[in-house]
Amino acid sequence: MTFSKLPWRFLLLMVLVGLNLRPALSSLAPLLHRVQQDTGLTPLAIGALTTLPVLCLGLFAPMAPRLARQYGPERALSIALLVIASGLLVRWWQAPAALFIGTLLVGAGIGVAGSLLPALVKRELPKGADLMTGVYTMALCLGGALGAALSIPLAESLGGWPRSLAAWSLLAIIALIAWEVAMPRTAPLKHQLGQTGTGATLGLLRQPLAWQVTLLMGSQSSLAYIVFGWLPTLLVNRGYGEAEAGWLMGLSVMIQLISALAAPWLARLGRDQRPALLLVLSFSMAGLWLLLMADSSLRWLGVTLLGLGQGGSFSLALTLIVLRTSDARLAGRLSGLAQGGGYALASLGPLGVGIMLEMQVSTAAVAWLLMAIATVAALCAWFAGRARQLAFTESGGLTTLPAPVR
């Protein structure tokens, strides 16, 4: 597909939707101290609040294929954006119950929307889905960076943290209106045996490749959400000031934009994606180690490596969903499984770190836990990164075949 023939309307919509899938998560972390002071929530309740959206991503992402079948993927995405906007508006009320309900709604909407988009990209851009997934991931990272960077300024200018959290509903409403007006009107695919109901999902559960992609998504996402929820706290425990710790995390998220866009191009240099995956995961490990264990003079190198590693690993994990499936509908199935199971697994990461910090475990012990999670991710990447592809057989079953030459 040439540059002039790219479906620019869909690409712009994809970026606009992607911008909404992280601010609701990243905007909360900088405000946790104020939230705890105003609501009286215990540290354990605050830990549950940071874990809830990640858990919801995992619980609700598997609903995306069913919603896509019932309403069409375009309308299902509209529903998800409406739920995100509603959840953000609920956060306007300062009551703890409203905060938890709003966070649950936000997590549900993001889980469904994030699962739907890879399948839509595969359908609209079948020959360049891997590269366009990089563009989508860059939008996710940008949204996350904006949420973290603007959270405190919005609270100061709007008169409190509830309005700061609710302000992001405006971006979700803009995306919903734009999507409703300009969303693609592609005719639905004709029915094919094995592509509806639970058959394809059960078939995926019997395919080792599907589990490898899911475990990779879960392990690398666990690292990402530990950074989102706890990196500033871990840095403060090392002796950094609160402001500097916040800036270090914000800079790391901004650097993710570079590798999120570049990683899919890097993946195209070889026959499979293992070299690219292992490279970015090694960057994440090195960055975390430098920030948590090395001398403070190396903190800027650590921030840079962490940003490059996490942006690249998340981008490649999403890219694998479209590269490891033969068509858009199967990509939707794998997306629901990989993101649903992966995010459910990822929620254990920030919860585990919260429990460790509650028990006053040393930062070194937390760092070793992060190294162990990264090692698991690298092991999963070695298998998931091979040039294999899930495909339907003539009888409607699922099989794993060598990936076609692109």
Side-chain angles (χ1 to χ4, degrees):
M1 181 177 292
T2 62
F3 184 83
S4 60
K5 292 182 179 180
L6 283 173
W8 288 105
R9 185 177 68 177
F10 174 74
L11 289 177
L12 292 174
L13 287 172
M14 179 182 68
V15 169
L16 184 57
V17 172
L19 285 173
N20 282 275
L21 303 188
R22 286 300 177 269
L25 307 179
S26 63
S27 62
L28 180 60
L31 297 168
L32 284 179
H33 181 67
R34 301 186 185 197
V35 171
Q36 187 173 10
Q37 282 187 325
D38 291 347
T39 61
L41 290 172
T42 65
L44 183 59
I46 289 293
L49 186 63
T50 61
T51 303
L52 179 61
V54 187
L55 180 60
C56 287
L57 295 182
L59 293 177
F60 288 93
M63 293 179 59
R66 179 175 296 181
L67 291 172
R69 291 197 309 272
Q70 186 170 356
Y71 302 105
E74 299 88 355
R75 191 64 63 200
L77 187 57
S78 294
I79 294 172
L81 287 171
L82 180 61
V83 171
I84 293 171
S86 301
L88 289 167
L89 285 173
V90 169
R91 284 176 161 183
W92 189 294
W93 286 270
Q94 192 168 319
L99 189 59
F100 276 91
I101 292 171
T103 300
L104 187 150
L105 290 173
V106 163
I110 294 174
V112 171
S115 183
L116 289 169
L117 275 172
L120 285 167
V121 171
K122 180 83 172 182
R123 189 190 71 183
E124 297 296 316
L125 297 159
K127 294 183 178 180
D130 53 344
L131 301 183
M132 292 306 103
T133 300
V135 176
Y136 157 62
T137 310
M138 185 184 70
L140 288 179
C141 295
L142 178 58
L146 291 175
L150 298 180
S151 186
I152 298 297
L154 284 174
E156 297 293 341
S157 61
L158 297 178
W161 61 262
R163 294 181 180 181
S164 175
L165 294 176
W168 294 101
S169 63
L170 179 60
L171 182 60
I173 292 170
I174 292 172
L176 174 60
I177 294 173
W179 181 259
E180 278 292 309
V181 171
M183 65 182 175
R185 311 286 176 174
T186 304
L189 297 174
K190 293 182 179 180
H191 169 74
Q192 297 181 30
L193 184 62
Q195 291 188 339
T196 61
T198 60
T201 301
L202 293 176
L204 280 176
L205 293 175
R206 292 191 290 266
Q207 297 296 321
L209 179 58
W211 283 104
Q212 291 155 12
V213 173
T214 299
L215 292 174
L216 172 62
M217 176 65 75
S219 53
Q220 67 84 29
S221 294
S222 182
L223 289 175
Y225 288 110
I226 288 172
V227 169
F228 265 128
W230 295 113
L231 182 61
T233 300
L234 292 171
L235 292 176
V236 169
N237 290 346
R238 286 211 68 197
Y240 293 92
E242 288 185 352
E244 185 177 10
W247 276 110
L248 287 171
M249 189 190 82
L251 179 59
S252 174
V253 177
M254 286 298 295
I255 293 173
Q256 289 182 21
L257 299 176
I258 302 171
S259 55
L261 185 60
W265 293 90
L266 179 64
R268 284 195 164 197
L269 297 179
R271 288 177 53 83
D272 59 35
Q273 286 70 51
R274 283 178 292 183
L277 282 164
L278 294 177
L279 177 64
V280 294
L281 286 170
S282 66
F283 281 177
S284 294
M285 293 179 71
L288 286 167
W289 187 262
L290 290 175
L291 284 171
L292 299 180
M293 297 296 291
D295 188 85
S296 61
S297 62
L298 297 173
R299 63 189 182 280
W300 300 112
L301 176 60
V303 161
T304 302
L305 290 175
L306 179 61
L308 292 175
Q310 293 207 303
S313 59
F314 183 62
S315 181
L316 286 172
L318 286 178
T319 299
L320 287 185
I321 292 174
V322 297
L323 290 180
R324 296 296 171 262
T325 50
S326 59
D327 59 43
R329 191 166 287 143
L330 188 51
R333 289 285 185 177
L334 181 59
S335 180
L337 175 64
Q339 297 197 60
Y343 287 137
L345 177 64
S347 67
L348 299 176
L351 179 62
V353 171
I355 293 173
M356 293 176 72
L357 294 178
E358 186 77 13
M359 297 172 61
Q360 298 184 341
V361 173
S362 67
T363 301
V366 175
W368 280 112
L369 172 66
L370 298 181
M371 295 303 104
I373 295 173
T375 301
V376 171
L379 181 62
C380 296
W382 180 258
F383 292 99
R386 294 174 298 168
R388 301 289 188 269
Q389 190 176 76
L390 296 164
F392 286 103
T393 63
E394 293 183 0
S395 62
L398 276 175
T399 187
T400 301
L401 301 171
V405 177
R406 290 178 287 125

